[in-house]
Amino acid sequence: MMGLLLLLLLSSYLHQGCQVTAQRLFTIRAVSLTVEPDSDSSRGTNVTLRCQAVVSSSGPEPLVREFSVFRDGSRVYTKTSSSSEDFLYLLPDARVSNSGKYKCEVSIEGKSMSSESRRLTVRGLSKPALHLNKDVVTEGEEVTATCRAPGETGSIFFYFYDNGNEIHEERVNGNQAEATLRFSSAGIHKIRCDYTVLITPDSYKSEESNTAIVSVKELSITPVLEVSPQYQVFEGDTLNIMCTLRNLLRSLDSPQLYLSQGTHLLSSGTTKVNHSMVALAKGPGLTFECRLDMGHVIKVATRTVLVTELFSVPTLTLAPAEVFQKEPMTLTCRSENVASERLDRKELTYTLHPLENPLISTDTGVFTGKALLFDFNYTCTAEARDIVKQSETLTVRPKVSVSTPKISIYGKAVLGQPIQILCQSDIGSLPINYTLLKGFDEVSTISVQLPGQRAIFRVTAHMPEELSKYMCEAKNSHREAPLSRRLNATVIVPLANPTLTVLPHLPDISEGDHLYLICAVKGSPPVTFKWYRVGDKLPLNTTTTDKNHKDFQIPALSKQDSGIYYCEAVNHANTIVQSDRVTIEVRMALWKKAVIGGVSLLVVSLLLLMACVLYFRSKRVRVPRAAVSVWSERKPEDVNDEESSTVNHEPDVEYTEVVHPHSVDPTRAAPLRKGTDTVYSELQKSSHDAADHHDYGSVQYAELNKEQSEINQYNPEINSAPDLPVRLD
Ligand SMILES: *[C@@H]1O[C@H](CO)[C@@H](O)[C@H](O)[C@H]1NC(C)=O
Ligand SMILES: *[C@@H]1O[C@H](CO)[C@@H](O)[C@H](O)[C@H]1NC(C)=O
Ligand SMILES: *[C@@H]1O[C@H](CO)[C@@H](O)[C@H](O)[C@H]1NC(C)=O
Ligand SMILES: *[C@@H]1O[C@H](CO)[C@@H](O)[C@H](O)[C@H]1NC(C)=O
Ligand SMILES: *[C@@H]1O[C@H](CO)[C@@H](O)[C@H](O)[C@H]1NC(C)=O
Ligand SMILES: *[C@@H]1O[C@H](CO)[C@@H](O)[C@H](O)[C@H]1NC(C)=O
């Protein structure tokens, strides 16, 4: 109970306490910054930044305020005020360096508020003032120049100019800079200065200062360069070069002399330098320099000496220009020009390098020997009076003679079509000129320049024997060119005149015959033959042979083999030729006709027999021998189906007598036989009358088949009995 009471008390105390701590209520309503008299002022204006804070508070007393001024983001000033008056930030006699972006901030008891930013621009820089401590000096003497920027503040760069050229630069945090100037040339020097005030990110440049004049007097001290001899200097002569000083008046300066030739320092000293050397002929002449270095004074004297060559750089030459492996060659080393007034040509000695070379020196500078098998570099030197001159490197590249070329066909040779002939030597240095000859006439030349390149000639042959006239030669030197053998190649003759021959002869083709389709062409084998029947997509057969003809066989023809046939042939010339079309009509087999005829006869005979039997039964008593007499009186030519069938019913003797003369068929080679064979002859004849009768008996089958075999003149053994039932239809 007590605890709860305490807690209530505490909380009410704390609630009141907050109000007690923030003794007074207030709020900062606005903060503003104004620039007086103008945000864009000229130099020297008394500029005021006015910061005004509008604060609402509950009490009469003004609150303690803290004002801060920021320039370009940095705090530059802070002041605490207990009055409610505006805060003034003074920039008396404003300078360019006061330019910037200003902001004011007010803080009251932890609360703060900033004004908007205001930019202040101050224009105009003061004119720089230049002052020199001397106006007359001698070369090398120092002058102190002072440049001032009156009234300016901030970071300032000062620049000094001599006759318009900038000679010195100095950065200071103040409004004046000092420079030590020296002059390398005598005469009048016009000195000026100016400055730049740096207010990041801008800079403001002042106008130019007044001009100060310095008169620089030349130092009388000079270096003197003497070279002897001065003229008519030849290679090998000794040159004396002397560098001295003239008019050395003051001894306080410590002069230093440097004698050099180009970038090569020959010697140095204080007052006199001597140097002697052997003259060498180099370029446009020898240039010497004598340089005096005395503190800040540098003086130079130069002299160029022309040196005449005693003898020129030797040249190394090769003869003959084209050298072949292991063949003689001559290298000659010679200096073209010799200063005859000083040197006798005989004094010159020549040496060939490398020294361990296999060549023999025969005369001054002439070296002979045999060429090596590989490339070799030579140089030579000419020497006289201790002067040695080296030639340029001569690389001797011995060539390899071309070997006898081989001539061959490249690809295939087809008569009448372009043929490529390759001419090639196994060895030989490039370039090689290959020339194709036909007989003794040059056809053309191909120059092979690069490895891998080939000499391929294009010709056309119209006769097969024409190709053997071609030869070729290879040439890679001025010597005689080796000649190849004659071209040994066969020409493919394109196919022509295709014919398709059919055996047996077309009108004689019948079922069961063995058919030969013989395709023949003119042209070069191997030939691929194809036989086609019109209507079939695929060829009947495809055969390649080394002959010009080939047959395709159908061992036993059937009615379905009738059709239109042709053949096709192709060889390596790639032209396809086609024969004429041949129409084959397979006739019905003879034995079939015979069977049909036989059956018809049999039927007719049976009918007749029945009629006769009936007749005889009615007339037998009256005329018993009438029939016999009828047969006897008739001529053999009149025998017909009716009679034959009648005969079959009669005894054998009579039959033979009657039939025999009629079986002699002059168109048939088949001999007549006894017995059943004779039936054939008769049937053969009668078949004309009963061709379409398929209803035949199997009685005579085997016998007829025997006959059929004998008729077939092409392949007698093929027509065996088992095949026949298949053929029947
Ligand atoms: C600037 O104020 C100074 C006194 O602080 C006064 O002498 C001077 O004349 C004023 N300059 C201008 C341009 O008002
Ligand atoms: C410098 O060279 C000259 C010849 O030109 C010679 O007479 C003299 O003695 C030499 N002096 C020195 C110091 O070598
Ligand atoms: C010959 O000299 C040339 C350079 O002048 C060099 O490239 C070449 O390798 C040398 N040949 C031989 C065989 O030394
Ligand atoms: C090869 O032929 C070219 C021109 O076709 C000719 O300039 C060159 O001298 C010939 N070279 C030889 C070794 O005959
Ligand atoms: C031509 O070449 C064939 C083989 O390619 C060869 O049998 C024949 O002897 C050669 N003829 C000649 C004349 O060299
Ligand atoms: C083509 O005929 C030949 C015999 O002339 C034979 O050996 C071959 O098998 C036949 N080829 C075809 C596809 O019938």
Side-chain angles (χ1 to χ4, degrees), residues 228 240-242 272 274-275:
S228 71
N240 285 304
I241 309 119
M242 192 160 61
K272 187 174 178 180
N274 237 13
H275 185 80

Side-chain angles (χ1 to χ4, degrees), residues 88-376:
L88 302 179
Y89 181 65
L90 302 177
L91 294 168
D93 198 11
R95 299 295 169 194
V96 167
S97 57
N98 293 130
S99 299
K101 206 156 81 177
Y102 287 88
K103 197 173 78 176
C104 167
E105 190 186 83
V106 176
S107 299
I108 305 172
E109 293 175 8
K111 287 187 186 178
S112 62
M113 184 180 262
S114 290
S115 71
E116 285 187 354
S117 292
R118 294 269 177 264
R119 175 168 285 283
L120 168 66
T121 309
V122 182
R123 295 180 191 283
L125 289 173
S126 59
K127 182 180 167 127
L130 177 68
H131 174 75
L132 301 182
N133 66 344
K134 291 177 193 163
D135 54 8
V136 177
V137 290
T138 51
E139 275 179 283
E141 209 177 333
E142 288 177 0
V143 174
T144 303
T146 310
C147 189
R148 290 190 300 111
E152 298 303 333
T153 56
S155 183
I156 302 178
F157 281 92
F158 285 93
Y159 303 93
F160 294 86
Y161 303 88
D162 175 5
N163 291 337
N165 303 315
E166 190 185 309
I167 50 168
H168 191 82
E169 173 190 316
E170 193 136 351
R171 180 180 183 165
V172 293
N173 255 320
N175 64 2
Q176 101 170 32
E178 219 174 71
T180 303
L181 309 179
R182 282 190 194 91
F183 304 97
S184 53
S185 61
I188 298 295
H189 291 258
K190 291 180 182 170
I191 311 300
R192 281 205 185 93
C193 75
D194 62 14
Y195 65 90
T196 294
V197 180
L198 202 69
I199 305 153
T200 332
D202 304 314
S203 64
Y204 301 87
K205 194 167 180 67
S206 75
E207 60 182 302
E208 278 196 338
S209 73
N210 55 307
T211 303
I213 289 179
V214 185
S215 174
V216 180
K217 291 194 286 186
E218 197 176 357
L219 266 181
S220 55
I221 184 168
T222 49
V224 177
L225 181 60
E226 282 170 77
V227 179
S228 71
Q230 211 170 335
Y231 305 106
Q232 285 285 310
V233 181
F234 285 88
E235 244 178 335
D237 289 357
T238 301
L239 282 178
N240 285 304
I241 309 119
M242 192 160 61
C243 181
T244 51
L245 285 176
R246 187 182 297 148
N247 300 330
L248 178 62
L249 302 174
R250 294 177 294 172
S251 53
L252 51 152
D253 298 319
S254 51
Q256 189 72 32
L257 288 174
Y258 299 95
L259 176 64
S260 54
Q261 187 212 330
T263 54
H264 181 54
L265 184 68
L266 300 173
S267 187
S268 70
T270 50
T271 55
K272 187 174 178 180
V273 181
N274 237 13
H275 185 80
S276 57
M277 61 186 280
V278 174
L280 292 175
K282 256 189 200 170
L286 298 175
T287 300
F288 298 96
E289 183 191 87
C290 179
R291 184 181 175 90
L292 165 68
D293 194 337
M294 197 174 59
H296 302 285
V297 178
I298 287 164
K299 295 195 169 204
V300 171
T302 60
R303 187 145 297 203
T304 298
V305 179
L306 285 174
V307 183
T308 310
E309 272 190 332
L310 264 188
F311 56 96
S312 60
V313 173
T315 51
L316 187 58
T317 52
L318 172 67
E322 205 175 43
V323 171
F324 284 83
Q325 288 177 343
K326 292 189 195 167
E327 289 192 359
M329 65 169 187
T330 303
L331 293 179
T332 306
C333 186
R334 187 178 153 86
S335 287
E336 231 23 76
N337 305 314
V338 173
S340 52
E341 61 266 54
R342 284 292 193 87
L343 183 72
D344 190 343
R345 209 173 244 292
K346 284 174 191 161
E347 284 180 65
L348 275 173
T349 60
Y350 297 100
T351 315
L352 187 66
H353 300 272
L355 290 170
E356 58 281 6
N357 66 71
L359 301 184
I360 303 154
S361 175
T362 51
D363 198 353
T364 326
V366 180
F367 306 89
T368 56
K370 282 192 174 173
L372 299 171
L373 294 175
F374 43 86
D375 292 4
F376 202 75

Side-chain angles (χ1 to χ4, degrees), residues 568-587:
E568 221 175 63
V570 63
N571 70 353
H572 289 308
N574 260 348
T575 44
I576 300 172
V577 292
Q578 228 173 58
S579 74
D580 285 342
R581 293 170 178 221
V582 174
T583 306
I584 293 176
E585 199 195 323
V586 182
R587 294 177 197 283

Side-chain angles (χ1 to χ4, degrees), residues 375-377 393 395:
D375 292 4
F376 202 75
N377 284 346
T393 302
T395 304

